[in-house]
Amino acid sequence: KKLGLVYCYNRESYLQLARCEDVWSSLDRSGEGEVVPRPAAYFFLTGLRSSHSGVFHPDTVGPKDGLVVYKIVFLSHESAYNSGCHNACAELYTKSFAADEQGRLNHHRHDGLGCECVTSYDSLRVVGVVDRAETKEDFQGIFSADILPGAVFSDEVYLQTQHRCAAAIAAVKLDTGACRLVTRSQDRSHFLIGAGQGKLVVATSAPGSPPKAKLYATAGGMWREVAGQSPSFEASVPEGGCSVTVREHEGNFDSILIRPAGAAAGAAKDAVILIPHGGPHSAHSSQWVLYQEFLVSLGYSLLLVNYRGSVGYGNEALLSLPGRVGDQDVRDCVEALDACLEAEDGLGRACVMGGSHGGFLTLHLLGQHRSKFECGVVRNPVTSIAGMVSATDIPEWCYCEALGAGTRPRCFGPTAEDLDRMLRCSPIAHASEVEAPTLWLLGQEDRRVRPLAAMDYIAALKAKGLPLKTIVFPKDSHPLSSPQTEFESFINVAWWLGRHLGKQK
Protein backbone atom coordinates (compact mmCIF):
# COMPACT_ATOMS: atom_id res chain seq x y z
CA LYS A 1 0.00 0.00 0.00
CA LYS A 2 1.10 3.56 -0.61
CA LEU A 3 -0.03 5.34 2.52
CA GLY A 4 -0.15 9.13 2.66
CA LEU A 5 -0.03 11.74 5.41
CA VAL A 6 -3.66 12.91 5.33
CA TYR A 7 -4.79 12.73 8.97
CA CYS A 8 -1.84 10.33 9.58
CA TYR A 9 1.23 12.29 10.68
CA ASN A 10 2.57 9.24 12.49
CA ARG A 11 3.89 7.99 9.16
CA GLU A 12 7.43 8.58 7.92
CA SER A 13 7.90 11.66 5.77
CA TYR A 14 10.91 13.31 4.15
CA LEU A 15 11.71 16.59 2.46
CA GLN A 16 13.08 16.90 -1.05
CA LEU A 17 14.69 19.84 -2.84
CA ALA A 18 14.50 20.57 -6.55
CA ARG A 19 15.58 23.37 -8.85
CA CYS A 20 12.64 24.33 -11.04
CA GLU A 21 14.62 23.92 -14.26
CA ASP A 22 15.67 20.42 -13.14
CA VAL A 23 12.06 19.39 -12.74
CA TRP A 24 11.34 20.34 -16.35
CA SER A 25 14.54 18.85 -17.76
CA SER A 26 15.08 15.71 -15.71
CA LEU A 27 16.31 13.83 -18.80
CA ASP A 28 19.72 14.74 -20.30
CA ARG A 29 20.43 13.72 -23.87
CA SER A 30 23.98 12.85 -24.81
CA GLY A 31 25.76 10.93 -27.55
CA GLU A 32 23.67 9.55 -30.35
CA GLY A 33 20.21 9.95 -28.96
CA GLU A 34 21.07 8.22 -25.67
CA VAL A 35 18.82 9.25 -22.79
CA VAL A 36 20.67 9.65 -19.48
CA PRO A 37 18.32 10.15 -16.49
CA ARG A 38 19.27 12.40 -13.61
CA PRO A 39 17.33 13.28 -10.45
CA ALA A 40 14.72 16.00 -10.68
CA ALA A 41 14.80 16.29 -6.87
CA TYR A 42 17.22 15.41 -4.08
CA PHE A 43 16.49 14.19 -0.59
CA PHE A 44 16.94 16.87 2.07
CA LEU A 45 17.77 14.71 5.07
CA THR A 46 17.01 16.17 8.49
CA GLY A 47 17.93 13.29 10.81
CA LEU A 48 14.24 12.85 11.68
CA ARG A 49 11.68 10.21 10.72
CA SER A 50 9.08 12.93 10.23
CA SER A 51 9.81 16.08 8.20
CA HIS A 52 7.17 17.89 6.16
CA SER A 53 5.68 21.28 5.21
CA GLY A 54 9.06 22.80 4.35
CA VAL A 55 9.05 26.53 3.55
CA PHE A 56 11.95 28.74 2.49
CA HIS A 57 13.01 31.44 4.93
CA PRO A 58 12.89 34.83 3.15
CA ASP A 59 16.52 35.71 4.01
CA THR A 60 19.69 34.20 2.55
CA VAL A 61 23.36 34.53 3.53
CA GLY A 62 25.88 35.41 0.85
CA PRO A 63 27.04 35.10 -1.76
CA LYS A 64 30.30 34.39 0.06
CA ASP A 65 33.13 32.36 -1.45
CA GLY A 66 30.82 31.62 -4.35
CA LEU A 67 28.05 30.12 -2.15
CA VAL A 68 24.60 31.25 -1.06
CA VAL A 69 23.15 29.75 2.15
CA TYR A 70 19.41 29.09 2.23
CA LYS A 71 17.28 28.19 5.25
CA ILE A 72 14.24 25.88 5.35
CA VAL A 73 11.58 26.09 8.09
CA PHE A 74 9.64 22.84 8.52
CA LEU A 75 7.42 20.81 10.86
CA SER A 76 8.13 17.41 12.38
CA HIS A 77 5.64 15.01 13.96
CA GLU A 78 8.35 12.90 15.55
CA SER A 79 6.17 12.34 18.62
CA ALA A 80 3.42 11.00 16.38
CA TYR A 81 5.88 8.70 14.63
CA ASN A 82 7.27 7.37 17.93
CA SER A 83 3.92 6.93 19.67
CA GLY A 84 1.77 5.90 16.70
CA CYS A 85 -0.81 8.59 17.51
CA HIS A 86 -1.96 10.12 14.24
CA ASN A 87 -1.84 13.75 15.29
CA ALA A 88 0.42 14.19 18.32
CA CYS A 89 2.11 17.50 19.13
CA ALA A 90 4.41 18.79 16.36
CA GLU A 91 7.83 20.47 16.52
CA LEU A 92 9.26 23.35 14.51
CA TYR A 93 12.74 23.08 12.98
CA THR A 94 15.08 24.99 10.69
CA LYS A 95 17.83 23.59 8.47
CA SER A 96 20.21 25.29 6.05
CA PHE A 97 21.99 24.29 2.86
CA ALA A 98 24.31 25.97 0.37
CA ALA A 99 24.17 26.37 -3.41
CA ASP A 100 26.43 28.17 -5.84
CA GLU A 101 25.49 31.51 -7.32
CA GLN A 102 23.77 29.78 -10.24
CA GLY A 103 21.60 27.80 -7.81
CA ARG A 104 23.33 24.46 -8.36
CA LEU A 105 23.02 22.19 -5.35
CA ASN A 106 25.92 20.43 -3.67
CA HIS A 107 24.77 16.82 -3.35
CA HIS A 108 26.17 13.37 -2.64
CA ARG A 109 25.18 9.72 -2.80
CA HIS A 110 23.80 8.32 0.47
CA ASP A 111 24.90 4.69 0.49
CA GLY A 112 22.49 3.63 3.25
CA LEU A 113 19.42 5.04 1.50
CA GLY A 114 20.66 4.53 -2.04
CA CYS A 115 19.65 8.03 -3.16
CA GLU A 116 21.06 11.44 -3.99
CA CYS A 117 20.99 13.82 -1.00
CA VAL A 118 21.60 17.54 -0.63
CA THR A 119 24.66 18.34 1.49
CA SER A 120 23.33 20.46 4.36
CA TYR A 121 23.95 21.69 7.88
CA ASP A 122 22.49 20.26 11.11
CA SER A 123 18.78 20.62 11.88
CA LEU A 124 17.99 23.13 14.63
CA ARG A 125 14.90 22.63 16.79
CA VAL A 126 13.07 25.91 17.38
CA VAL A 127 9.99 24.64 19.28
CA GLY A 128 9.78 21.20 20.85
CA VAL A 129 6.87 19.14 22.11
CA VAL A 130 4.83 20.78 24.87
CA ASP A 131 3.91 17.98 27.26
CA ARG A 132 1.86 20.07 29.67
CA ALA A 133 1.53 23.86 29.80
CA GLU A 134 1.86 25.54 33.19
CA THR A 135 -1.57 27.16 32.91
CA LYS A 136 -4.58 26.69 30.65
CA GLU A 137 -3.96 30.12 29.14
CA ASP A 138 -0.39 29.27 28.06
CA PHE A 139 0.66 27.95 24.67
CA GLN A 140 -0.31 24.26 24.53
CA GLY A 141 1.98 23.16 21.69
CA ILE A 142 1.97 23.10 17.89
CA PHE A 143 -1.05 21.18 16.64
CA SER A 144 -0.74 22.06 12.99
CA ALA A 145 -0.25 20.23 9.71
CA ASP A 146 1.37 22.90 7.56
CA ILE A 147 3.13 26.24 7.33
CA LEU A 148 1.95 28.93 4.93
CA PRO A 149 4.91 30.12 2.80
CA GLY A 150 4.06 33.79 3.22
CA ALA A 151 3.74 33.44 7.00
CA VAL A 152 7.51 32.99 7.51
CA PHE A 153 9.20 36.32 8.22
CA SER A 154 12.81 37.22 9.00
CA ASP A 155 12.51 36.79 12.74
CA GLU A 156 9.27 34.85 13.31
CA VAL A 157 6.71 32.51 11.82
CA TYR A 158 2.93 32.57 12.25
CA LEU A 159 1.06 29.29 12.62
CA GLN A 160 -2.52 28.18 13.06
CA THR A 161 -2.81 25.77 15.99
CA GLN A 162 -5.47 24.29 18.22
CA HIS A 163 -5.63 25.97 21.64
CA ARG A 164 -8.08 24.03 23.78
CA CYS A 165 -11.58 24.83 22.41
CA ALA A 166 -10.50 27.21 19.65
CA ALA A 167 -8.39 27.38 16.54
CA ALA A 168 -5.83 30.10 17.27
CA ILE A 169 -2.95 31.98 15.67
CA ALA A 170 0.48 31.67 17.31
CA ALA A 171 3.70 33.58 16.61
CA VAL A 172 7.07 31.85 17.10
CA LYS A 173 10.41 33.67 17.35
CA LEU A 174 12.87 31.78 15.17
CA ASP A 175 15.96 32.80 17.15
CA THR A 176 14.68 31.99 20.66
CA GLY A 177 11.72 29.64 20.11
CA ALA A 178 9.51 31.91 22.22
CA CYS A 179 5.82 31.28 21.44
CA ARG A 180 2.93 33.66 21.99
CA LEU A 181 -0.75 33.28 21.23
CA VAL A 182 -1.91 36.17 19.09
CA THR A 183 -5.56 35.15 19.56
CA ARG A 184 -6.78 33.75 22.87
CA SER A 185 -10.58 33.69 22.92
CA GLN A 186 -12.24 30.32 23.59
CA ASP A 187 -15.68 31.27 22.27
CA ARG A 188 -14.51 31.92 18.69
CA SER A 189 -11.85 30.59 16.32
CA HIS A 190 -9.28 32.17 14.01
CA PHE A 191 -8.01 30.44 10.85
CA LEU A 192 -4.91 31.49 8.91
CA ILE A 193 -5.99 31.31 5.26
CA GLY A 194 -3.43 33.48 3.45
CA ALA A 195 -0.15 35.31 3.93
CA GLY A 196 2.29 37.49 2.03
CA GLN A 197 3.99 40.89 1.88
CA GLY A 198 4.14 41.11 5.66
CA LYS A 199 0.40 40.59 6.06
CA LEU A 200 -1.89 37.74 7.11
CA VAL A 201 -5.45 36.95 6.04
CA VAL A 202 -7.40 35.48 8.95
CA ALA A 203 -10.94 34.08 8.91
CA THR A 204 -12.79 34.46 12.20
CA SER A 205 -16.02 32.70 13.12
CA ALA A 206 -18.03 31.52 16.11
CA PRO A 207 -21.20 29.50 16.63
CA GLY A 208 -23.98 31.70 15.26
CA SER A 209 -21.47 34.01 13.55
CA PRO A 210 -20.42 33.10 9.97
CA PRO A 211 -16.76 33.45 8.91
CA LYS A 212 -15.37 36.91 8.24
CA ALA A 213 -11.97 37.51 6.64
CA LYS A 214 -9.70 40.25 7.97
CA LEU A 215 -6.28 41.52 6.91
CA TYR A 216 -3.61 41.94 9.60
CA ALA A 217 -0.16 43.52 9.49
CA THR A 218 2.70 42.05 11.53
CA ALA A 219 5.43 44.68 11.19
CA GLY A 220 7.72 44.98 14.21
CA GLY A 221 6.15 42.00 15.92
CA MET A 222 2.87 43.88 16.29
CA TRP A 223 -0.50 42.40 15.37
CA ARG A 224 -3.00 44.90 14.04
CA GLU A 225 -5.88 44.94 11.59
CA VAL A 226 -5.24 46.90 8.41
CA ALA A 227 -8.03 49.46 8.38
CA GLY A 228 -10.15 49.60 5.26
CA GLN A 229 -8.36 46.74 3.48
CA SER A 230 -10.13 43.66 4.84
CA PRO A 231 -12.40 41.78 2.41
CA SER A 232 -16.07 42.50 3.02
CA PHE A 233 -19.19 40.56 2.17
CA GLU A 234 -22.73 40.24 3.43
CA ALA A 235 -23.44 37.05 5.35
CA SER A 236 -26.33 35.10 3.88
CA VAL A 237 -27.38 33.72 7.26
CA PRO A 238 -28.53 35.64 10.34
CA GLU A 239 -26.22 36.09 13.32
CA GLY A 240 -27.00 35.77 17.01
CA GLY A 241 -29.03 32.56 16.79
CA CYS A 242 -27.26 30.83 19.66
CA SER A 243 -25.39 31.24 22.92
CA VAL A 244 -22.05 29.57 23.68
CA THR A 245 -20.76 28.28 27.02
CA VAL A 246 -17.27 26.77 27.33
CA ARG A 247 -17.08 24.60 30.44
CA GLU A 248 -13.81 23.30 31.94
CA HIS A 249 -13.76 19.85 33.52
CA GLU A 250 -11.41 18.15 35.93
CA GLY A 251 -8.72 16.11 34.21
CA ASN A 252 -7.79 18.77 31.60
CA PHE A 253 -10.65 18.65 29.12
CA ASP A 254 -13.47 20.99 28.06
CA SER A 255 -16.91 21.02 26.51
CA ILE A 256 -18.72 23.57 24.37
CA LEU A 257 -22.47 24.03 24.87
CA ILE A 258 -24.36 25.73 22.03
CA ARG A 259 -27.98 26.67 22.79
CA PRO A 260 -30.64 28.35 20.67
CA ALA A 261 -30.96 32.06 21.42
CA GLY A 262 -32.34 35.16 19.80
CA ALA A 263 -34.62 34.29 16.88
CA ALA A 264 -34.11 30.56 17.47
CA ALA A 265 -34.99 30.66 21.18
CA GLY A 266 -38.71 30.27 20.54
CA ALA A 267 -38.15 26.87 18.93
CA ALA A 268 -35.84 25.61 21.69
CA LYS A 269 -36.42 22.03 22.81
CA ASP A 270 -35.61 20.35 26.09
CA ALA A 271 -33.13 18.02 24.40
CA VAL A 272 -29.35 18.24 24.07
CA ILE A 273 -27.33 16.38 21.42
CA LEU A 274 -23.99 15.13 22.71
CA ILE A 275 -21.44 15.18 19.85
CA PRO A 276 -18.03 13.59 20.53
CA HIS A 277 -15.49 14.35 17.79
CA GLY A 278 -13.67 11.77 15.70
CA GLY A 279 -9.99 11.05 15.49
CA PRO A 280 -9.72 10.54 18.42
CA HIS A 281 -6.81 12.99 18.24
CA SER A 282 -8.66 15.99 16.86
CA ALA A 283 -10.87 18.58 18.57
CA HIS A 284 -14.06 20.60 18.42
CA SER A 285 -13.54 24.33 17.98
CA SER A 286 -15.81 27.25 18.78
CA GLN A 287 -16.59 28.08 15.17
CA TRP A 288 -19.41 28.32 12.64
CA VAL A 289 -20.21 24.82 11.34
CA LEU A 290 -23.04 24.34 8.86
CA TYR A 291 -24.65 21.18 10.28
CA GLN A 292 -24.41 22.52 13.84
CA GLU A 293 -26.17 25.73 12.82
CA PHE A 294 -28.85 23.63 11.11
CA LEU A 295 -29.50 21.58 14.26
CA VAL A 296 -29.57 24.68 16.48
CA SER A 297 -32.08 26.31 14.10
CA LEU A 298 -34.35 23.29 14.73
CA GLY A 299 -34.25 24.06 18.46
CA TYR A 300 -31.68 21.52 19.67
CA SER A 301 -28.86 22.32 22.07
CA LEU A 302 -25.46 20.82 21.19
CA LEU A 303 -22.79 19.59 23.61
CA LEU A 304 -19.39 19.26 21.92
CA VAL A 305 -16.90 17.36 24.10
CA ASN A 306 -13.12 17.63 23.80
CA TYR A 307 -12.39 14.54 25.91
CA ARG A 308 -8.86 13.72 27.11
CA GLY A 309 -6.90 12.70 24.03
CA SER A 310 -8.01 15.74 22.03
CA VAL A 311 -5.43 18.01 20.40
CA GLY A 312 -4.78 21.45 21.87
CA TYR A 313 -4.28 20.38 25.50
CA GLY A 314 -0.60 19.44 25.48
CA ASN A 315 0.94 16.13 24.46
CA GLU A 316 0.61 14.48 27.87
CA ALA A 317 -3.19 14.68 27.80
CA LEU A 318 -3.25 13.45 24.21
CA LEU A 319 -1.07 10.41 25.00
CA SER A 320 -3.24 9.50 27.99
CA LEU A 321 -5.91 8.01 25.70
CA PRO A 322 -4.23 5.22 23.66
CA GLY A 323 -4.87 1.91 25.41
CA ARG A 324 -7.92 3.41 27.17
CA VAL A 325 -10.34 4.05 24.29
CA GLY A 326 -13.88 2.97 25.07
CA ASP A 327 -13.30 3.80 28.73
CA GLN A 328 -11.56 7.11 29.45
CA ASP A 329 -13.15 8.96 26.54
CA VAL A 330 -16.56 7.50 27.38
CA ARG A 331 -16.27 8.60 31.02
CA ASP A 332 -15.28 12.12 29.96
CA CYS A 333 -18.33 12.39 27.69
CA VAL A 334 -20.64 11.25 30.51
CA GLU A 335 -19.06 13.69 32.95
CA ALA A 336 -19.58 16.56 30.49
CA LEU A 337 -23.21 15.55 29.88
CA ASP A 338 -24.00 15.25 33.60
CA ALA A 339 -22.43 18.66 34.30
CA CYS A 340 -24.46 20.19 31.45
CA LEU A 341 -27.80 18.76 32.57
CA GLU A 342 -27.15 19.79 36.17
CA ALA A 343 -26.11 23.37 35.34
CA GLU A 344 -28.54 24.23 32.52
CA ASP A 345 -32.22 24.98 32.94
CA GLY A 346 -34.64 23.58 30.41
CA LEU A 347 -32.59 20.55 29.35
CA GLY A 348 -33.68 17.10 30.45
CA ARG A 349 -33.26 14.68 27.55
CA ALA A 350 -30.26 13.63 25.49
CA CYS A 351 -29.31 12.13 22.14
CA VAL A 352 -25.78 11.23 20.99
CA MET A 353 -24.33 11.61 17.49
CA GLY A 354 -20.87 11.10 16.01
CA GLY A 355 -18.78 9.88 13.09
CA SER A 356 -15.73 7.60 12.88
CA HIS A 357 -14.26 7.58 16.41
CA GLY A 358 -17.16 9.85 17.36
CA GLY A 359 -19.43 7.04 16.13
CA PHE A 360 -17.33 4.59 18.15
CA LEU A 361 -18.09 6.68 21.25
CA THR A 362 -21.75 7.10 20.28
CA LEU A 363 -22.23 3.33 20.25
CA HIS A 364 -20.25 2.91 23.47
CA LEU A 365 -22.43 5.50 25.20
CA LEU A 366 -25.63 3.86 23.95
CA GLY A 367 -24.42 0.50 25.26
CA GLN A 368 -22.69 1.47 28.50
CA HIS A 369 -25.12 4.25 29.53
CA ARG A 370 -28.38 3.25 27.87
CA SER A 371 -30.61 5.08 30.35
CA LYS A 372 -29.12 8.48 29.43
CA PHE A 373 -29.97 8.60 25.71
CA GLU A 374 -33.23 8.43 23.80
CA CYS A 375 -31.69 7.89 20.35
CA GLY A 376 -28.42 7.89 18.46
CA VAL A 377 -26.96 8.79 15.06
CA VAL A 378 -23.73 7.27 13.72
CA ARG A 379 -21.73 8.13 10.60
CA ASN A 380 -19.23 5.48 9.45
CA PRO A 381 -18.60 4.35 13.04
CA VAL A 382 -15.86 2.03 14.28
CA THR A 383 -17.90 -0.88 15.65
CA SER A 384 -15.13 -3.44 16.18
CA ILE A 385 -11.41 -2.66 16.18
CA ALA A 386 -10.72 -6.41 15.98
CA GLY A 387 -12.74 -6.60 12.78
CA MET A 388 -11.25 -3.40 11.39
CA VAL A 389 -7.52 -4.09 11.83
CA SER A 390 -7.10 -6.38 8.81
CA ALA A 391 -9.33 -4.43 6.43
CA THR A 392 -8.46 -0.76 7.02
CA ASP A 393 -5.88 1.54 5.46
CA ILE A 394 -4.81 2.56 8.99
CA PRO A 395 -3.98 -0.71 10.82
CA GLU A 396 -1.49 1.19 12.98
CA TRP A 397 -4.43 3.16 14.44
CA CYS A 398 -5.99 -0.08 15.69
CA TYR A 399 -2.82 -1.20 17.47
CA CYS A 400 -2.02 2.21 18.98
CA GLU A 401 -5.48 3.15 20.22
CA ALA A 402 -6.50 -0.30 21.47
CA LEU A 403 -3.17 -1.58 22.81
CA GLY A 404 -1.37 1.61 23.82
CA ALA A 405 1.02 4.28 22.48
CA GLY A 406 4.11 2.86 20.83
CA THR A 407 2.47 -0.44 19.83
CA ARG A 408 3.11 -1.12 16.16
CA PRO A 409 1.46 -3.52 13.69
CA ARG A 410 2.76 -7.08 13.90
CA CYS A 411 4.56 -8.46 10.86
CA PHE A 412 2.14 -11.40 10.52
CA GLY A 413 -1.00 -9.73 11.87
CA PRO A 414 -2.44 -9.36 15.37
CA THR A 415 -2.08 -12.15 17.91
CA ALA A 416 -5.05 -13.80 19.60
CA GLU A 417 -4.35 -11.68 22.68
CA ASP A 418 -4.26 -8.52 20.55
CA LEU A 419 -7.62 -9.36 18.99
CA ASP A 420 -9.14 -10.09 22.37
CA ARG A 421 -8.06 -6.70 23.73
CA MET A 422 -9.25 -4.94 20.57
CA LEU A 423 -12.65 -6.61 20.86
CA ARG A 424 -13.06 -5.81 24.55
CA CYS A 425 -12.58 -2.08 24.00
CA SER A 426 -14.95 -2.00 21.00
CA PRO A 427 -18.62 -0.93 21.01
CA ILE A 428 -19.79 -4.33 19.75
CA ALA A 429 -18.86 -5.77 23.15
CA HIS A 430 -21.81 -3.76 24.55
CA ALA A 431 -24.24 -4.17 21.64
CA SER A 432 -26.54 -6.41 23.71
CA GLU A 433 -27.14 -3.51 26.13
CA VAL A 434 -28.33 -0.98 23.55
CA GLU A 435 -32.01 -0.01 23.75
CA ALA A 436 -32.15 3.30 21.84
CA PRO A 437 -33.22 3.73 18.20
CA THR A 438 -30.23 4.38 15.92
CA LEU A 439 -29.75 5.99 12.50
CA TRP A 440 -26.78 4.64 10.49
CA LEU A 441 -25.15 6.68 7.70
CA LEU A 442 -22.51 4.70 5.78
CA GLY A 443 -20.26 5.33 2.77
CA GLN A 444 -20.01 2.38 0.41
CA GLU A 445 -16.51 3.45 -0.72
CA ASP A 446 -15.13 3.89 2.81
CA ARG A 447 -11.67 2.29 2.99
CA ARG A 448 -10.89 3.53 6.48
CA VAL A 449 -13.85 1.99 8.33
CA ARG A 450 -15.40 -0.48 5.91
CA PRO A 451 -19.23 -0.48 5.92
CA LEU A 452 -19.36 -4.28 6.03
CA ALA A 453 -18.07 -4.13 9.62
CA ALA A 454 -21.18 -2.17 10.66
CA MET A 455 -23.51 -4.88 9.40
CA ASP A 456 -22.72 -7.27 12.27
CA TYR A 457 -23.68 -4.58 14.77
CA ILE A 458 -26.82 -3.68 12.80
CA ALA A 459 -27.80 -7.35 12.66
CA ALA A 460 -27.46 -7.59 16.45
CA LEU A 461 -29.80 -4.60 16.90
CA LYS A 462 -32.31 -5.99 14.42
CA ALA A 463 -32.31 -9.30 16.30
CA LYS A 464 -33.44 -7.36 19.38
CA GLY A 465 -36.25 -5.71 17.40
CA LEU A 466 -34.92 -2.20 17.97
CA PRO A 467 -35.98 0.67 15.68
CA LEU A 468 -33.16 1.58 13.27
CA LYS A 469 -32.61 2.98 9.81
CA THR A 470 -29.56 2.39 7.61
CA ILE A 471 -28.65 4.59 4.65
CA VAL A 472 -25.70 3.62 2.45
CA PHE A 473 -24.30 6.26 0.09
CA PRO A 474 -22.89 4.31 -2.89
CA LYS A 475 -20.33 6.86 -4.09
CA ASP A 476 -19.09 8.28 -0.80
CA SER A 477 -16.19 7.35 1.46
CA HIS A 478 -15.25 8.01 5.07
CA PRO A 479 -16.03 11.75 5.41
CA LEU A 480 -19.51 11.59 3.78
CA SER A 481 -18.73 15.09 2.57
CA SER A 482 -20.00 15.38 -0.99
CA PRO A 483 -22.68 18.10 -1.22
CA GLN A 484 -25.49 15.71 -2.11
CA THR A 485 -24.58 13.23 0.63
CA GLU A 486 -24.19 15.96 3.23
CA PHE A 487 -27.60 17.35 2.32
CA GLU A 488 -29.32 13.97 2.40
CA SER A 489 -27.55 13.00 5.64
CA PHE A 490 -28.81 15.90 7.66
CA ILE A 491 -32.28 15.89 6.20
CA ASN A 492 -32.48 12.32 7.51
CA VAL A 493 -30.87 13.33 10.81
CA ALA A 494 -33.50 16.05 11.23
CA TRP A 495 -36.26 13.54 10.49
CA TRP A 496 -34.79 10.99 12.92
CA LEU A 497 -34.39 13.50 15.73
CA GLY A 498 -37.87 14.87 15.10
CA ARG A 499 -39.29 11.37 15.36
CA HIS A 500 -37.53 10.45 18.60
CA LEU A 501 -36.80 13.81 20.28
CA GLY A 502 -39.36 16.11 18.71
CA LYS A 503 -41.97 16.02 21.45
CA GLN A 504 -41.38 17.93 24.66
CA LYS A 505 -41.73 16.02 27.91
Side-chain angles (χ1 to χ4, degrees):
K1 294 180 180 179
K2 291 186 177 180
L3 304 177
L5 285 180
V6 176
Y7 304 129
C8 302
Y9 295 98
N10 58 310
R11 293 172 176 163
E12 288 188 74
S13 56
Y14 299 94
L15 297 175
Q16 289 187 318
L17 275 174
R19 298 171 69 224
C20 290
E21 63 185 65
D22 290 344
V23 174
W24 296 109
S25 59
S26 58
L27 294 178
D28 282 340
R29 296 187 178 274
S30 61
E32 297 180 0
E34 180 184 1
V35 178
V36 181
R38 60 185 173 86
Y42 303 93
F43 277 94
F44 188 60
L45 299 183
T46 62
L48 302 165
R49 304 305 289 268
S50 170
S51 305
H52 60 90
S53 305
V55 172
F56 276 95
H57 190 276
D59 299 338
T60 59
V61 177
K64 183 178 181 181
D65 299 327
L67 294 176
V68 179
V69 178
Y70 298 86
K71 182 186 292 184
I72 302 290
V73 182
F74 66 95
L75 292 175
S76 172
H77 275 86
E78 199 77 356
S79 175
Y81 174 81
N82 291 329
S83 67
C85 297
H86 277 191
N87 201 15
C89 188
E91 300 172 277
L92 183 70
Y93 281 83
T94 63
K95 187 176 177 67
S96 300
F97 69 96
D100 65 21
E101 294 184 53
Q102 285 71 46
R104 289 188 291 264
L105 299 170
N106 184 13
H107 58 90
H108 64 279
R109 182 84 178 167
H110 192 292
D111 294 332
L113 295 175
C115 62
E116 293 292 323
C117 304
V118 175
T119 302
S120 56
Y121 306 100
D122 291 340
S123 299
L124 299 176
R125 183 166 61 189
V126 180
V127 179
V129 168
V130 176
D131 288 318
R132 187 183 184 97
E134 291 187 10
T135 70
K136 294 180 178 180
E137 289 73 31
D138 290 339
F139 178 71
Q140 303 286 324
I142 298 175
F143 293 95
S144 180
D146 53 31
I147 303 172
L148 286 183
V152 178
F153 302 102
S154 294
D155 58 344
E156 63 185 353
V157 56
Y158 285 84
L159 298 164
Q160 177 188 312
T161 185
Q162 185 73 23
H163 179 69
R164 303 186 73 83
C165 281
I169 310 299
V172 178
K173 288 289 185 183
L174 289 172
D175 55 349
T176 65
C179 304
R180 62 185 175 90
L181 288 168
V182 178
T183 61
R184 289 182 173 273
S185 58
Q186 288 294 287
D187 59 354
R188 64 180 48 247
S189 289
H190 299 78
F191 300 91
L192 188 56
I193 59 174
Q197 301 179 356
K199 298 181 177 66
L200 304 176
V201 181
V202 176
T204 303
S205 77
S209 180
K212 295 180 180 178
K214 293 185 178 182
L215 186 67
Y216 292 88
T218 61
M222 301 296 290
W223 171 269
R224 61 179 179 82
E225 184 179 352
V226 180
Q229 294 190 27
S230 293
S232 61
F233 56 89
E234 289 294 326
S236 60
V237 295
E239 295 193 19
C242 62
S243 64
V244 181
T245 302
V246 176
R247 185 170 283 114
E248 298 178 358
H249 303 277
E250 291 186 14
N252 196 23
F253 77 97
D254 300 330
S255 61
I256 307 168
L257 177 66
I258 306 173
R259 299 195 67 176
K269 297 177 172 59
D270 64 344
V272 60
I273 304 172
L274 170 61
I275 306 178
H277 61 72
H281 308 301
S282 62
H284 285 299
S285 296
S286 298
Q287 61 173 309
W288 193 90
V289 178
L290 179 60
Y291 83 85
Q292 294 175 7
E293 301 295 324
F294 172 61
L295 293 174
V296 170
S297 72
L298 298 178
Y300 298 106
S301 297
L302 310 181
L303 182 63
L304 318 179
V305 183
N306 283 342
Y307 45 84
R308 285 171 293 169
S310 303
V311 300
Y313 294 79
N315 215 41
E316 181 182 297
L318 184 145
L319 293 176
S320 72
L321 183 57
R324 300 182 180 88
V325 293
D327 176 29
Q328 175 177 295
D329 41 8
V330 172
R331 286 187 284 112
D332 288 353
C333 287
V334 171
E335 180 180 329
L337 177 62
D338 289 345
C340 169
L341 295 178
E342 182 179 349
E344 300 292 326
D345 294 330
L347 295 180
R349 298 182 298 149
C351 164
V352 58
M353 177 174 71
S356 193
H357 189 82
F360 173 93
L361 290 176
T362 295
L363 296 175
H364 262 299
L365 289 161
L366 292 175
Q368 294 188 44
H369 300 274
R370 58 186 180 183
S371 64
K372 292 183 177 291
F373 303 99
E374 299 195 13
C375 66
V377 178
V378 289
R379 296 160 51 89
N380 285 330
V382 177
T383 58
S384 171
I385 299 178
M388 172 183 171
V389 65
S390 299
T392 181
D393 68 328
I394 52 168
E396 74 280 0
W397 181 92
C398 301
Y399 285 89
C400 174
E401 300 303 338
L403 308 182
T407 308
R408 300 197 179 274
R410 319 289 187 202
C411 183
F412 298 103
T415 65
E417 182 182 357
D418 293 340
L419 291 171
D420 180 66
R421 291 177 62 186
M422 290 176 182
L423 184 62
R424 289 177 183 274
C425 68
S426 297
I428 201 164
H430 304 279
S432 61
E433 304 300 317
V434 175
E435 294 182 348
T438 51
L439 172 63
W440 295 70
L441 304 170
L442 307 174
Q444 184 66 48
E445 298 300 316
D446 191 353
R447 297 294 180 263
R448 186 137 295 182
V449 183
R450 305 227 175 208
L452 187 61
M455 297 308 171
D456 288 339
Y457 199 111
I458 292 171
L461 299 184
K462 284 184 175 179
K464 294 183 63 177
L466 294 177
L468 64 86
K469 182 177 178 64
T470 303
I471 303 175
V472 179
F473 298 96
K475 296 182 180 180
D476 259 87
S477 59
H478 195 57
L480 296 180
S481 58
S482 71
Q484 183 66 28
T485 295
E486 194 168 45
F487 169 76
E488 290 185 21
S489 292
F490 284 97
I491 288 296
N492 279 282
V493 168
W495 167 78
W496 191 257
L497 295 177
R499 181 176 179 181
H500 297 285
L501 282 179
K503 295 181 179 180
Q504 301 281 79
K505 289 189 176 180

